[in-house]
Amino acid sequence: MAADRPLRSDARRNRDRVLRAAQEVFGESGFDVPLDEIATRAGVGAGTVYRHFPTKEALFQAVVADRVAGLIADAQRRATEADPGVAFFDFLARLGAEGAAKRDTSDAIAVPGPLRDELHDALAVLLQRAQHAGAVRADITAADLVALFKGLLDVAHEADDPGRAGRVLALVIDGLRLPRL
Amino acid sequence: MAADRPLRSDARRNRDRVLRAAQEVFGESGFDVPLDEIATRAGVGAGTVYRHFPTKEALFQAVVADRVAGLIADAQRRATEADPGVAFFDFLARLGAEGAAKRDTSDAIAVPGPLRDELHDALAVLLQRAQHAGAVRADITAADLVALFKGLLDVAHEADDPGRAGRVLALVIDGLRLPRL
DNA sequence: GAAGATACGGAACGGTTGCCCCGGTTAGCA
DNA sequence: TGCTAACCGGGGCAACCGTTCCGTATCTTC
């Protein structure tokens, strides 16, 4: 069990490269890219990736953890805002923007794990507040919302039409608002 | 080129079994089931499936062609109804019910092919009539709608919660209706 | 009921995919 | 300058699946 001796300079450099490449590649193509893609992009052999991260999944977590944590913090912050409806829909917009920009968002929010649960909980709070205030239809659940968003993001990313993401997102947002108000 | 000599009795029986099993299995699990699953369910070897259908895809088409043709006919019939909004939403309800019941519907409507295009066209007519009548938001396209429905069906089928399908479908339907009316 | 054609079953094949490890080599550090 | 951490990337390996092959069983016909 070597103590955490400081990394050799090239090792540190390569670790950074791998992380940066993983951010890019996961962001463009989601979790389901071959690991070689990341290694190549980093200018590094596949073996080097495994020297720094025990599994592909660990690498993915390392990449998305910050982002998901940011989303959670954002959701919790907004939960204290005055207008529950505005808070909820602003957060959804943020989530939509994030998802449109980074393809791995969909995997990040849906893959089981402690962070996902935390995000789920934070979203549930926002949702319930908004529903209680009558700003959002009452029948939908937080789990529905997560699943629906994941589906939407996948639809949007598969599309050849770049405008689709915005249109379907707007449609769902409008569907969430209470009808006849 | 053997003329279409009548099939041997066991051959005819097995062909029916395969078709029936394929209907069930594709309906439960979509196109992405191993072919062996179908063969087993039919009580037949994989070779027998290939004696009757040249490829897995051909078998799938044989299974869904009727259903898609029915959908197309339904759409075309409704295109002549008096109220374009009612016609459109009734058809969507039919599509949703079909999709909720049979998991392969999602593949059937999305996989390229002449039937898909025909369905697409028929749906476009319904949609445009409804949009022109002001019953449906104007920004959405027929391609959006097909993609969105495919996504919704996938979301619904992955869910553990059996009520989710109905809730998200209702949400999207409401989102399609013009806001503030 | 026997001969010949037809069809069957399911093991084996071949292609693909993609995670991960190993063996020889390079390059940093003392 | 030598020792060791780290690199590279080809390939092992396991899983998965569509398809084919061929020895065997079953049906049809005479």
Side-chain angles (χ1 to χ4, degrees):
Chain A
M1 305 294 165
D4 37 356
R5 192 196 347 269
L7 285 173
R8 227 171 68 176
S9 62
D10 55 344
R12 167 178 290 283
R13 191 176 60 240
N14 278 330
R15 196 192 138 88
D16 281 1
R17 280 188 190 166
V18 167
L19 220 36
R20 212 171 345 252
Q23 238 156 28
E24 286 179 24
V25 174
F26 281 141
E28 290 164 17
S29 313
F31 180 74
D32 282 341
V33 286
L35 201 87
D36 283 9
E37 187 86 21
I38 294 171
T40 303
R41 182 87 64 110
V44 143
T48 300
V49 176
Y50 280 95
R51 174 166 312 275
H52 294 294
F53 300 93
T55 65
K56 183 188 181 186
E57 184 132 347
L59 175 58
F60 184 72
Q61 290 299 336
V63 164
V64 299
D66 281 359
R67 211 136 38 82
V68 175
L71 284 173
I72 293 167
D74 194 33
Q76 289 170 340
R77 191 171 50 70
R78 290 193 209 267
T80 65
E81 278 182 10
D83 186 326
V86 170
F88 175 74
F89 284 110
D90 281 358
F91 180 72
L92 279 199
R94 155 107 196 252
L95 200 56
E98 198 100 15
K102 303 273 187 178
R103 186 155 193 173
D104 52 357
T105 308
S106 146
D107 295 313
I109 66 176
V111 165
L115 276 182
R116 194 206 59 153
D117 293 344
E118 238 183 289
L119 178 62
H120 188 108
D121 290 346
L123 181 62
V125 171
L126 279 178
L127 173 62
Q128 277 160 24
R129 285 214 327 148
Q131 285 174 324
H132 196 259
V136 171
R137 63 190 300 144
D139 61 346
I140 220 77
T141 72
D144 289 345
L145 206 54
V146 170
L148 183 55
F149 253 70
K150 176 172 166 45
L152 280 186
L153 293 181
D154 292 346
V155 164
H157 282 123
E158 280 166 22
D160 15 281
D161 182 341
R164 180 166 301 160
R167 291 195 296 274
V168 296
L169 190 62
L171 188 157
V172 167
I173 297 274
D174 287 345
L176 282 165
R177 296 181 197 283
L178 269 180
R180 116 191 83 261
L181 222 190
Chain B
M1 307 294 163
D4 36 356
R5 188 190 358 265
L7 284 172
R8 226 171 69 176
S9 62
D10 54 346
R12 167 178 290 283
R13 189 176 60 238
N14 279 330
R15 188 181 199 282
D16 281 0
R17 280 187 189 168
V18 167
L19 220 37
R20 207 166 355 245
Q23 237 155 27
E24 286 180 23
V25 174
F26 282 141
E28 289 164 18
S29 314
F31 181 73
D32 281 341
V33 286
L35 201 88
D36 283 8
E37 188 85 22
I38 294 171
T40 302
R41 182 87 65 109
V44 144
T48 300
V49 176
Y50 280 93
R51 173 167 314 276
H52 294 293
F53 301 93
T55 65
K56 184 189 179 186
E57 184 132 350
L59 174 57
F60 184 72
Q61 290 300 335
V63 164
V64 298
D66 280 359
R67 211 135 38 83
V68 175
L71 284 173
I72 293 168
D74 194 32
Q76 289 170 342
R77 190 170 49 71
R78 291 192 209 267
T80 65
E81 279 183 10
D83 185 327
V86 170
F88 175 75
F89 285 110
D90 280 358
F91 181 72
L92 280 199
R94 155 106 196 250
L95 199 56
E98 198 99 15
K102 302 272 187 180
R103 186 157 193 170
D104 52 358
T105 307
S106 147
D107 295 313
I109 67 177
V111 165
L115 277 181
R116 194 207 59 151
D117 293 343
E118 237 183 290
L119 178 62
H120 190 107
D121 290 346
L123 181 61
V125 170
L126 280 178
L127 174 62
Q128 277 161 24
R129 285 215 326 150
Q131 284 174 325
H132 196 261
V136 171
R137 61 192 300 144
D139 61 346
I140 221 76
T141 72
D144 289 345
L145 206 54
V146 170
L148 183 56
F149 253 69
K150 177 172 166 44
L152 281 186
L153 293 181
D154 292 346
V155 164
H157 282 123
E158 281 167 21
D160 14 283
D161 182 341
R164 181 165 300 158
R167 291 196 296 274
V168 296
L169 189 63
L171 189 157
V172 166
I173 298 272
D174 288 345
L176 282 166
R177 296 183 198 281
L178 268 182
R180 115 190 85 261
L181 223 189

